[in-house]
Amino acid sequence: MGKESKPTQQEIATGALAGICSGYLFKKVSKYAAATAVVGYLAVQGASQAGYIKINWKKVNDQIEDLKEACTISTAGYVKDLTEKLADLTDEISEIITDEDTLLLENEGRLKATARRAYEAFKQNAATSGSFTVGFALGILFA
């Protein structure tokens, strides 16, 4: 492999600044979105009480029932897919050779190579990613 480079102060500062800005904006936008939803709900309720809006509750209830049915159908498909994936995983687990002290995978070489690539990618971006994460948390905290 090549010469390992240390993260520069500029990379760390850039990650931290981007994180702080992102965290700050995230918290501010989420506050305004929640406030807008509440004000909208109150406006609709007030207009309904004043007689400006007439809500067709039968239609609302019918649509809610349709959504519940669609969610049930969607969930059933999801559960079926999940069950199939679980069965595949169970088959893979059954391929694991059990020893008293260790568990060995048949494709251990491929697993090690994947882990090594993931580690190298993390190691190259650790300073920027870490400083962004800390900055994001600080941005949310101080917004």
Side-chain angles (χ1 to χ4, degrees), residues 96-104:
I96 295 175
I97 303 165
T98 308
D99 192 345
E100 289 181 12
D101 297 325
T102 58
L103 294 173
L104 302 173

Side-chain angles (χ1 to χ4, degrees), residues 56-106:
N56 185 349
W57 288 109
K58 182 178 178 345
K59 187 174 182 179
V60 170
N61 287 332
D62 289 345
Q63 286 186 343
I64 288 173
E65 290 300 320
D66 291 344
L67 282 173
K68 284 167 56 176
E69 184 178 321
C71 287
T72 303
I73 291 170
S74 175
T75 304
Y78 177 74
V79 169
K80 182 181 177 190
D81 291 343
L82 191 59
T83 304
E84 290 172 0
K85 289 179 182 177
L86 188 58
D88 292 342
L89 184 60
T90 304
D91 292 341
E92 288 181 27
I93 290 173
S94 67
E95 294 175 5
I96 295 175
I97 303 165
T98 308
D99 192 345
E100 289 181 12
D101 297 325
T102 58
L103 294 173
L104 302 173
L105 295 172
E106 289 180 352

